[in-house]
Structure formats: C-alpha cells, structure tokens
Amino acid sequence: QQPVQSPQAVILREGEDAVINCSSSKALYSVHWYRQKHGEAPVFLMILLKGGEQKGHEKISASFNEKKQQSSLYLTASQLSYSGTYFCGTEMSYGGSQGNLIFGKGTKLSVKP
Amino acid sequence: DAGITQSPRHKVTETGTPVTLRCHQTENHRYMYWYRQDPGHGLRLIHYSYGVKDTDKGEVSDGYSVSRSKTEDFLLTLESATSSQTSVYFCAISESNNQPQHFGDGTRLSIL
C-alpha cells in the first residue's frame, strides 16, 4: 500500500525545474506533500483532494490524477532552499481510515549553486 | 509554527527497559499521531488518536502502546525496548482528517 515515489534522488542546478511523482496501487482520496530538511521535522507543503485539482505554493505546485492514482509535485526555477527530502502521504478512498496517511520513501532533492 | 513539544529529544537506553516518549501540544488539535522514521522506509505510522482516550493502531504498532488522557498530551510507550526500535520518532497533530499534519522536532531513540 505504500506509494511509490520517483525519482529516488535528483540533483539540480539553481533555476532548473524538477518533477517528483507519487503513485499508488490503491484508489486515493487525498495526497499530502511534505518537505524535510536534514535533521529537521517534515514541513507541510500542500494537500490535494480527489477531483484533479492543482495547487501552488510559491514556485512549487502539484497535481492529482485520481484515475491514475498519481500525484506529481512540480518545482520550477529551483532555489537552494528547495533542497531536502520530499514525501508524499496518501489517504485511501475508503471509510474508517480516519485520515491516516501512508508515506512514500521520499525523494531526495539537492539544489547546487 | 504549531506548538508541539516532544520529550525527551534524545535518549539512549538498554534492551528490555520500558521507555515513554511524550508529545505535548498547545493547539487544541483533535488528532495526534506517532510515527517512526528509518532510513529507506520513510515515515511509518505507529498509533494515532482522534480524541481523548480514543486511539487506534497504525501500520507498525507491535511493541508499542499509547495513551491520551488529555487533549494536549499523547504518550508513546515501548513496554520492553528492543534494538529494532532504535529510530527517530515524530509526533504530529492535525485539526481533523484531511487537514495538514504538523510535526514535532522528533526524538532520537537509541536502544543498545
């Protein structure tokens, strides 16, 4: 049930773009995205609910395709501060889950000057 | 930042000893969660609470118990610690399901 994130790691130069994907084998109700810097707590970025909406946060946006059970995180014109590990957390589309998330293993993003 | 305090921040203990980790929040959020984070596994849910005295198991609950006697406090107990429970433990809170989860700074637990 754990979602699969790809790529596992990516190295960018400042100003370059990146896409991080999160795929599930189960029908999804929502997808959460978090960023974690080394030695720190994960920090919430955005939530996407089923309906195919797209959200944005500064130069970071995301989409959610419920038919494909997939979400993608788009980082444009990357900055040094974007470095960290990005996690998607998925909530299944069935009752009783209480909104619990199952997290992927993460994508390590490194932005170089 | 959400008012979440985890204690202790670091702990080293021996196999077989009981360990209790505390999560304290000042946000009056209904939901509280305990995760463990290990290299190569991401964040895995241990237990969660959806109200005072209302708790349930997550995906990796074996060897752990929890209690929530007050809205602001969520305790995680390792009844008899094992080396496989060496990990970084994060507490998180949210107002309700489908709301953002806000994480505490984590507790690094080493069991020798």
Side-chain angles (χ1 to χ4, degrees):
Chain A
Q1 287 188 350
Q2 185 176 35
V4 176
Q5 289 187 232
S6 62
Q8 292 184 11
V10 58
I11 299 174
L12 300 174
R13 292 287 181 188
E14 267 189 297
E16 293 182 337
D17 302 339
V19 180
I20 300 172
N21 297 306
C22 175
S23 297
S24 173
S25 60
K26 303 286 186 180
L28 299 177
Y29 180 75
S30 70
V31 179
H32 298 217
W33 285 97
Y34 293 80
R35 176 172 61 206
Q36 184 179 30
K37 294 185 180 290
H38 183 68
E40 299 181 6
V43 174
F44 169 77
L45 292 176
M46 62 190 76
I47 292 176
L48 298 102
L49 302 178
K50 71 176 184 178
E53 66 177 297
Q54 187 157 348
K55 282 195 170 181
H57 174 77
E58 297 177 344
K59 293 182 180 178
I60 300 174
S61 61
S63 63
F64 176 26
N65 187 322
E66 61 188 272
K67 288 185 178 180
K68 292 185 177 180
Q69 296 160 192
Q70 178 178 336
S71 177
S72 296
L73 187 70
Y74 307 94
L75 299 96
T76 57
S78 59
Q79 306 168 16
L80 295 176
S81 62
Y82 287 1
S83 292
T85 300
Y86 289 77
F87 293 97
C88 67
T90 55
E91 180 190 3
M92 301 298 124
S93 284
Y94 57 83
S97 67
Q98 296 283 355
N100 292 340
L101 300 179
I102 300 175
F103 285 90
K105 293 184 179 181
T107 295
K108 186 174 182 180
L109 179 76
S110 300
V111 181
K112 307 293 185 183
Chain B
D1 290 344
I4 310 169
T5 304
Q6 290 187 231
S7 59
R9 292 294 315 280
H10 303 272
K11 187 173 182 66
V12 180
T13 190
E14 295 183 346
T15 300
T17 60
V19 177
T20 295
L21 307 183
R22 181 187 184 224
C23 178
H24 178 78
Q25 62 145 327
T26 57
E27 305 296 319
N28 201 36
H29 284 357
R30 179 183 173 194
Y31 284 76
M32 299 185 75
Y33 309 85
W34 275 108
Y35 292 92
R36 61 178 290 174
Q37 185 173 38
D38 305 288
H41 288 278
L43 292 153
R44 292 183 290 173
L45 182 65
I46 305 172
H47 281 279
Y48 66 98
S49 170
Y50 46 97
V52 174
K53 299 187 179 179
D54 291 323
T55 65
D56 207 347
K57 297 179 179 180
E59 59 183 310
V60 290
S61 59
D62 287 349
Y64 301 95
S65 62
V66 290
S67 65
R68 191 169 178 200
S69 58
K70 298 184 291 184
T71 298
E72 56 265 35
D73 289 325
F74 193 32
L75 304 180
L76 176 71
T77 298
L78 291 67
E79 302 290 348
S80 177
T82 68
S83 58
S84 65
Q85 293 175 311
T86 291
S87 187
V88 178
Y89 291 84
F90 285 101
C91 172
I93 64 173
S94 67
E95 289 186 65
S96 65
N97 55 356
N98 289 318
Q99 292 297 310
Q101 293 188 17
H102 301 286
F103 287 79
D105 290 332
T107 294
R108 186 172 295 275
L109 178 64
S110 297
I111 300 164
L112 308 177

